[in-house]
Amino acid sequence: EAYFNEAGDLSIKAFNAPTSNEIAGGRTRGTITVTVEGDTRFNGAVVTLTTNGSDPLNTEGTITIDFGDGQTDPRGVERKGIILVNYQGLRFVPGSKTITTFDGYEINGVKIEGTRTITTSSLTATPALSVSFLVVDVDGKATFTDQTTITRNATHTHTITFGNTPGATTWVVEGQASGETRAKAEYVFLIERPLVFKTECAFQGFAMPSEGEALFTVGSLPISLNYGGEGASCDNVVTVSINNASQDITVNN
């Protein structure tokens, strides 16, 4: 979930980065280079925007986030390969969508594959700019350095609330996912209390949600996961409970 959410966050940031003038220039020049300000995860990446057609009210095109053979951000997280974002419609307008795919994309050696379709469902401006999306992941797969894999298909609602600074943005996730674990067991991951991802935590190198609870059922074994209560600090610690016994686990980035 964290790997796909981070890729989705990068996609949304890149989608929102071009100014109206840059988008207009893209319509006339075809492809332009875009600078994403204030997010060090893009360090060293080449971001380009290619627009298709000239209708400003019915926009579509492709954003390419290219980390090449590898770029390391200030927190020591290495990304390589390409994130491709095909977009349709005006940003944040209900019904608009982005379709994210990957070309050799890796984060800290974990290869990410699959298709994520994000469709805007609502937009509110007060008390803060907030956008809700339907997020559908199909044929998701994470391949680790030991060649074990996790697969996933998922349907979620995501609500992004934008802060006054890039680090103040929050990403709230509800819904469920299913697939196969690295040990080849079938699983269902059901969010019971919304998971809250914070950009400030991502900037510090923490990919886990800082708040929320989920029920992770592997085969027939239910496992309760507690990522933290309201206002919890950034970390990679999750409280795992099985059969009334619990333990805090630190998860690697």
Side-chain angles (χ1 to χ4, degrees), residues 17-161:
T19 65
S20 298
N21 287 337
E22 286 176 323
I23 292 174
R27 284 197 294 270
T28 59
R29 299 199 302 273
T31 300
I32 61 173
T33 300
V34 175
T35 300
V36 182
E37 301 285 356
D39 192 332
T40 57
R41 293 175 297 174
F42 285 90
N43 281 12
V46 177
V47 182
T48 55
L49 166 70
T50 301
T51 58
N52 303 325
S54 59
D55 184 354
L57 299 180
N58 188 26
T59 61
E60 61 178 36
T62 302
I63 294 171
T64 302
I65 309 169
D66 190 351
F67 292 96
D69 293 332
Q71 302 292 336
T72 302
D73 69 18
R75 298 295 175 181
V77 178
E78 183 186 46
R79 300 172 182 84
K80 62 175 60 176
I82 298 172
I83 301 175
L84 293 167
V85 187
N86 292 309
Y87 66 88
Q88 302 169 10
L90 297 174
R91 290 179 291 197
F92 295 159
V93 172
S96 64
K97 67 174 57 178
T98 61
I99 302 171
T100 299
T101 55
F102 307 95
D103 182 1
Y105 179 67
E106 298 181 12
I107 177 168
N108 283 345
V110 180
K111 183 178 180 181
I112 306 301
E113 301 173 82
T115 300
R116 165 167 285 200
T117 301
I118 302 176
T119 305
T120 304
S121 53
S122 67
L123 169 66
T124 58
T126 57
L129 178 61
S130 180
V131 190
S132 294
F133 307 91
L134 174 66
V135 181
V136 179
D137 294 329
V138 177
D139 295 331
K141 184 178 180 181
T143 302
F144 294 81
T145 54
D146 62 1
Q147 298 308 302
T148 57
T149 62
I150 292 176
T151 64
R152 74 192 304 274
N153 290 281
T155 300
H156 292 95
T157 58
H158 288 207
T159 300
I160 302 176
T161 301

